[in-house]
Amino acid sequence: MKKSILLVSLVLFVLAAGAQKKKNKGKSDKDKKATTDYQQPEAVADTATKFTGIIKYFITSDDPSQKDSMFIIFAEDKIKVTMFNPGYKAEDIFEDNFIANFKDSSFLVIDKRTKTYKREKLGVRNKETEITLANYRKTGLVMKMTCKEYSGEMTMGEDVFEASALVSSQHSYISLSDYNFMNIQPVVLGYKIVLGYRNKTPDNENTYILAYKIEAGDPA
């Protein structure tokens, strides 16, 4: 599976930002509102929709024959991402596991093939990456659920990527407001869990990540 599947961003943000700039022309700085505030400061944790459990995602590209999968486990103060990649033989599947621990700000990388692990500080990978996502009153459907669509851009050095995320209104992760896997893939946005995700590289290669099964319960 290409490493580019984790790269996020969006040109629609540029168009929307320009429109917002014209709309705000003539207003005082106090009256202007940021259109690209990824942190969404007004977000409040919704305990009524608190979710713990496993969400399973398909990963596809412009070539529908290329299909991988990913599991994300939401636990108290931890999020585990398991990625399944094709091996050297048709029947081989490689499994990579990554655990973000928000209590001690650690990031654990587990290699099941070599039975080894590496611990590092959370947020070190791609730490220079900047993501801006905002909702422009658009929605989309995932598993027949209406989700708010957030769009924006991600910059890595001189590269700019397109992306959009579909955020659930029925599944909240209340341990923290925002989490990007390896700093480049939105998983939690404004305390809400991301169920759908699309990105486009500067070379116009699209990748789609879409939830297909949600299993609530204690993941321990």
Side-chain angles (χ1 to χ4, degrees), residues 105-210:
S105 297
S106 65
F107 188 69
L108 196 65
V109 181
I110 303 171
D111 189 332
K112 293 190 68 174
R113 285 163 287 177
T114 61
K115 297 182 179 180
T116 60
Y117 70 90
K118 176 183 178 181
R119 186 185 300 273
E120 58 190 60
K121 186 174 178 58
L122 185 65
V124 169
R125 299 200 180 199
N126 305 301
K127 62 181 179 180
E128 302 300 325
T129 302
E130 294 184 5
I131 300 177
T132 53
L133 294 175
N135 176 253
Y136 300 109
R137 299 183 179 179
K138 291 184 177 181
T139 60
L141 286 176
V142 180
M143 299 176 62
K144 297 183 179 180
M145 292 182 290
T146 300
C147 301
K148 288 184 178 180
E149 179 182 333
Y150 285 76
S151 58
E153 67 180 15
M154 183 190 73
T155 58
M156 297 183 70
E158 296 181 355
D159 294 325
V160 180
F161 303 84
E162 279 190 24
S164 62
L166 294 174
V167 180
S168 176
S169 61
Q170 302 177 32
H171 304 86
S172 297
Y173 186 72
I174 65 174
S175 295
L176 79 166
S177 175
D178 300 284
Y179 173 60
N180 296 329
F181 174 56
M182 290 191 179
N183 284 338
I184 54 177
Q185 179 185 333
V187 173
V188 179
L189 175 59
Y191 293 106
K192 300 297 185 180
I193 293 176
V194 175
L195 297 182
Y197 166 64
R198 179 187 71 85
N199 70 61
K200 179 187 288 186
T201 71
D203 296 327
N204 294 321
E205 295 181 352
N206 287 284
T207 296
Y208 308 90
I209 300 176
L210 198 65

Side-chain angles (χ1 to χ4, degrees), residues 2 13 18 46 50 55-56 87 97-98 108 129 132 157 183 217:
K2 297 181 179 178
F13 161 78
D46 181 11
K50 176 183 176 182
I55 300 182
K56 301 179 180 181
N97 294 282
F98 310 85
L108 196 65
T129 302
T132 53
N183 284 338

